[in-house]
Amino acid sequence: KEGLELFSPDTKPTTRRQMLGTSKSTATAKVGSISFSWNIGKDDLVIPRPPSSPDTYSKVILSWVAAMKYVGMSAYCEELVYPGVDNGGASESMNDANLEEMEPLSLRNLQIFKEYKENLKRGAFPPIQVVHDPNVGFTVEALEPIRKHTLIAEYIGEVTTTERSGETSSDSLMMLLDTGDDNTSLIIDPTRRGNVARFLSGINNRSNLSKKKANVRTRRFALNGKCHVVLFTAKKIEAGEKLHYDYNAGVEGKSVVEWAKGGFYDTSNFF
């Protein structure tokens, strides 16, 4: 409660500084066991502020649990799952970030990401709920305002190869590592195990109107030699606003067949 009040939008930065005595250059500040973003820079990722009330927190948890049960998920998790080659998936050793060139995340943002993950272990989740729309299925919407560049979720699921991704009927696959070889390129499949990331809505890549709805972006990066994918807001999100992102970001211009080869799929039926 103290942290929520201290980092409320209504609290002046000078008040926080007087109470915490934190350096102006520090990216985060800890209140109790929870980290909050602090002195946010232009390129900083932002740790989500937890729900401001017990009722809102309950909405978050209950909606996540209900959605995961409905789609038949066997477990909620916040770390990538490696079933192993013998079990039809990939081993952790196959997730080698050195096999692909990708833009590195700054040391400052890597630390912010680590503290965000620690918050999740303590139950400090972003103020978002999963809702069911009869027209489009499950969607995710904000329960409170969320500032730009706020971390929404790491994309979590079972890791398999692109070659074996055709064995799943999932419509929520995410590229993890692209080596240029289907035998070693990796895909995240959240069908059985994962988190809230799988419920965010996609946009129709072939519709400019649909593309304008994208308010969340993905970023692949390396941490401790392993690839990760994170979702973060591309702009300020208002309470009640649905979250949308491009499932096929980075492969614009490819045909449906080419998308399928990479573990991606046609989004022309999306709104």
Side-chain angles (χ1 to χ4, degrees):
K1 182 179 179 182
E2 180 187 0
L4 291 174
E5 292 176 350
L6 196 58
F7 286 89
S8 164
D10 298 327
T11 302
K12 295 181 180 180
T14 52
T15 302
R16 297 190 195 109
R17 197 166 291 117
Q18 289 171 357
M19 296 185 68
L20 295 173
T22 308
S23 168
K24 291 183 179 181
S25 62
T26 304
T28 62
K30 186 166 286 188
V31 180
S33 61
I34 304 300
S35 295
F36 293 83
S37 281
W38 168 260
N39 300 314
I40 300 170
K42 178 174 68 72
D43 298 319
D44 283 355
L45 292 173
V46 178
I47 296 174
R49 186 171 171 270
S52 60
S53 72
D55 285 346
T56 303
Y57 187 84
S58 294
K59 284 183 179 180
V60 171
I61 300 301
L62 291 175
S63 73
W64 292 18
V65 171
M68 290 176 189
K69 284 186 174 181
Y70 185 89
V71 298
M73 293 175 66
S74 60
Y76 163 83
C77 52
E78 285 294 348
E79 300 297 335
L80 292 170
V81 179
Y82 298 93
V85 177
D86 293 338
N87 295 315
S91 63
E92 185 173 5
S93 62
M94 293 175 69
N95 184 4
D96 183 353
N98 294 314
L99 297 178
E100 180 186 359
E101 289 187 16
M102 61 181 68
E103 185 180 353
L105 209 58
S106 69
L107 293 177
R108 182 177 171 100
N109 274 332
L110 284 175
Q111 183 60 36
I112 291 170
F113 175 75
K114 291 177 183 178
E115 294 188 38
Y116 157 71
K117 296 286 282 188
E118 287 299 315
N119 275 8
L120 293 179
K121 294 177 182 178
R122 293 171 172 77
F125 303 112
I128 55 176
Q129 69 172 345
V130 182
V131 296
H132 188 268
D133 185 309
N135 294 316
V136 299
F138 285 106
T139 63
V140 175
E141 67 178 31
L143 288 169
E144 297 176 354
I146 303 174
R147 67 183 301 158
K148 183 179 180 181
H149 291 167
T150 295
L151 292 160
I152 296 299
E154 180 179 1
Y155 209 93
I156 295 295
E158 295 180 304
V159 181
T160 187
T161 62
T162 299
E163 181 186 37
R164 303 199 68 162
S165 63
E167 298 173 10
T168 178
S169 59
S170 174
D171 63 352
S172 302
L173 303 178
M174 172 65 72
M175 176 63 76
L176 177 64
L177 172 66
D178 185 2
T179 67
D181 181 345
D182 289 350
N183 293 301
T184 55
S185 293
L186 302 179
I187 295 289
I188 303 170
D189 181 0
T191 302
R192 294 181 294 187
R193 291 181 279 187
N195 61 7
V196 71
R198 66 167 293 175
F199 296 107
L200 268 71
S201 301
I203 56 96
N204 184 345
N205 294 97
R206 303 178 189 282
S207 166
N208 289 328
L209 182 62
S210 183
K211 285 183 177 182
K212 290 180 180 179
K213 293 193 297 185
N215 52 16
V216 171
R217 293 180 59 191
T218 62
R219 175 69 188 273
R220 291 190 302 131
F221 64 95
L223 175 62
N224 297 328
K226 305 296 180 184
C227 294
H228 296 262
V229 184
V230 73
L231 307 180
F232 63 95
T233 56
K235 65 172 189 174
K236 181 180 178 182
I237 307 295
E238 301 296 341
E241 190 174 350
K242 287 182 169 56
L243 304 184
H244 296 84
Y245 75 103
D246 186 354
Y247 283 13
N248 295 319
V251 293
E252 291 85 353
K254 289 190 177 182
S255 68
V256 173
V257 173
E258 289 173 313
W259 274 338
K261 286 182 178 178
F264 295 87
Y265 41 83
D266 186 11
T267 59
S268 60
N269 63 319
F270 288 10
F271 290 90

